[in-house]
Amino acid sequence: MKTIFNAIAKYFKKLDKLLLLAVSLCTALGVALLYSLGKTDYLHPDTFRTQLFSMLAGLAVSLFIAAFDYKKISKLWFLYVPVAIVPVILTFTSMGVGVSGTDDIAWLKLGPITFQPAEILKIAFLLSFSYHLYKVKDSMNNLINTLLLCLHGAVPVAIVMKQGDHGTALVFLVMFLVMIYSAGISIGYILLAVIAIPPALFFAWKYLLGSVHKERILILFNPGSDPEGIEWQQDLGLNLLASGGITGNGLCNDNYHEVPEMHNDFIFSYVGYVFGFAGCVALIALMAYICIKIIADSRKTREELGKNICMGAFAMIFAHCVMNIGMALKILPVIGVPFPFVSAGGTALLSMYVMMGFVLSTRVHNEKVYRMFEWEK
């Protein structure tokens, strides 16, 4: 029994408690914002309850995952990758549904539960691609290995693009680019990629993007040309954000104009309304701290696999933050990317906490002599 208590004590000593606290503060802010929107009758109270439950479950899951060695879990890609891909493929059948405020079919409805399988795919990609990079570390710049790595990154991007979820596809792309660069891809391949950007953008514009997506991009270069159409949602979001002034109007204040998806894609606008400019800066600072802390943890890991996982998690959070804030500020098109740990969405929140569990595991298990569930006799 003493050995067990010593192992638990050592686990909590090595746990990155500051990172977990920062993430919890972000989630608590999101729960408070959804409670406020529920009190003003914008949202059904069930949304707040779902978010609160997801937060508590996510904390428990992240602590549980952190207790296991991420290296052993990553090796089981042949189990978790099919589990992640099959639900995504099912969205292309009659089981796939859309949700209010979106123009893509990227959700599954199983009885009373509706969830987005791509969130599970993010975790599977994070682990499997990290392990792939780790296995070919010494020969990743071999042409065959590089092509296989690119194929590995292209599969989730292509599947999610086919769903019509361009925002999530971009998140996968950012994860791939950050992780392969961090792992040490040759400068020659980087230069080839830079050269390939113009034709790739032309191809995407010509064959991949729909007319609505093109209009959302073009409107950024011609603001004010369609205030009653494409610009309407972003203009409402900007006005809501600006109406908070410096210090905001406080929680549960219903003297606001509604913005479609204010609880999700445009939650940053509501942060501005409730807490003002000061609150927005504080939230950005908190997210920057989380990103920097993850990068710091990546440098403390003793092998490449843990570093890959941390850099992939950083890329995921960073991409979500930049795209979500960019939408709210009308400097990026509306592409349906939620704010990490703050926006409503039980599946997205749980997947973020699962990801954080693996980040915490890289810190806890960075010594070969220590395993939470393998005590020395």
Side-chain angles (χ1 to χ4, degrees):
M1 184 63 70
K2 183 179 179 180
T3 305
I4 296 176
F5 282 124
N6 287 339
I8 294 174
K10 191 172 184 180
Y11 162 70
F12 280 102
K13 182 179 179 180
K14 292 176 67 64
L15 192 68
D16 193 340
K17 293 176 281 294
L18 289 177
L19 176 59
L20 193 60
L21 175 62
V23 168
S24 299
L25 287 175
C26 276
T27 315
L29 170 63
V31 170
L33 292 171
L34 296 181
Y35 175 81
S36 174
L37 286 170
K39 283 295 183 180
T40 60
D41 295 328
Y42 174 83
L43 281 181
H44 193 281
D46 282 349
T47 305
F48 156 73
R49 299 189 189 103
T50 299
Q51 196 78 354
L52 179 60
F53 172 80
S54 298
M55 173 187 176
L56 298 176
L59 282 169
V61 167
S62 63
L63 289 172
F64 180 74
I65 290 174
F68 290 88
D69 189 351
Y70 63 94
K71 293 183 282 293
K72 292 184 177 180
I73 298 177
S74 298
K75 292 177 182 178
L76 301 176
W77 59 269
F78 53 88
L79 296 178
Y80 59 76
V81 168
V83 170
I85 288 183
V86 169
V88 177
I89 294 176
L90 289 177
T91 62
F92 298 105
T93 70
S94 58
M95 298 176 65
V97 297
V99 298
S100 176
T102 67
D103 52 7
D104 50 284
I105 307 298
W107 282 259
L108 282 182
K109 187 172 180 60
L110 302 177
I113 300 175
T114 302
F115 71 99
Q116 191 173 9
E119 298 296 337
I120 304 173
L121 187 59
K122 286 178 186 175
I123 305 303
F125 176 72
L126 173 68
L127 295 179
S128 62
F129 194 60
S130 294
Y131 187 67
H132 191 169
L133 288 168
Y134 168 71
K135 292 295 289 184
V136 301
K137 171 61 180 176
D138 296 330
S139 58
M140 68 174 295
N141 288 308
N142 173 279
L143 180 60
I144 297 299
N145 286 335
T146 302
L147 290 174
L148 289 175
L149 287 169
C150 291
L151 178 63
H152 193 156
V155 169
V157 173
I159 292 175
V160 176
M161 280 283 287
K162 184 65 176 177
Q163 287 180 323
D165 189 353
H166 297 82
T168 301
L170 278 175
V171 172
F172 276 112
L173 180 60
V174 172
M175 290 175 66
F176 166 77
L177 293 175
V178 170
M179 292 172 73
I180 201 168
Y181 173 78
S182 174
I185 192 70
S186 168
I187 186 66
Y189 289 124
I190 295 175
L191 292 176
L192 285 175
V194 171
I195 294 172
I197 288 176
L201 291 177
F202 175 80
F203 178 83
W205 184 268
K206 188 79 173 177
Y207 300 105
L208 299 180
L209 297 180
S211 58
V212 173
H213 301 100
K214 292 179 181 179
E215 290 173 3
R216 288 174 179 173
I217 295 172
L218 291 173
I219 206 70
L220 299 176
F221 300 96
N222 192 21
S225 60
D226 190 17
E228 301 299 323
I230 295 296
E231 295 180 89
W232 176 68
Q233 185 181 18
Q234 284 184 296
D235 286 344
L236 286 177
L238 268 178
N239 292 335
L240 181 67
L241 190 154
S243 65
I246 300 297
T247 58
N249 299 290
L251 292 166
C252 302
N253 187 323
D254 60 358
N255 187 28
Y256 63 82
H257 57 267
E258 294 185 1
V259 180
E261 298 303 305
M262 184 166 56
H263 60 300
N264 196 308
D265 297 345
F266 281 82
I267 193 72
F268 191 75
S269 297
Y270 190 59
V271 171
Y273 172 78
V274 172
F275 298 111
F277 177 76
C280 290
V281 171
L283 178 58
I284 292 173
L286 186 58
M287 294 307 303
Y289 174 80
I290 291 172
C291 288
I292 293 171
K293 201 76 170 66
I294 293 174
I295 294 175
D297 282 350
S298 77
R299 298 182 65 84
K300 292 180 180 179
T301 58
R302 294 174 182 258
E303 43 71 56
E304 292 298 321
L305 179 57
K307 175 185 174 183
N308 295 337
I309 290 174
C310 288
M311 293 308 297
F314 155 75
M316 187 194 303
I317 294 175
F318 182 79
H320 271 265
C321 288
V322 170
M323 286 190 273
N324 184 273
I325 294 174
M327 288 191 302
L329 297 180
K330 203 179 176 182
I331 58 177
L332 290 176
V334 177
I335 47 179
V337 175
F339 199 101
F341 303 110
V342 179
S343 291
T347 309
L349 184 58
L350 281 172
S351 71
M352 283 287 179
Y353 269 103
V354 169
M355 175 198 67
M356 292 308 303
F358 286 108
V359 172
L360 294 171
S361 178
T362 66
R363 176 76 175 268
V364 172
H365 297 283
N366 64 357
E367 294 179 7
K368 292 183 179 180
V369 298
Y370 171 68
R371 298 291 184 272
M372 174 63 178
F373 291 115
E374 296 179 17
W375 305 289
E376 294 178 319
K377 297 182 180 179

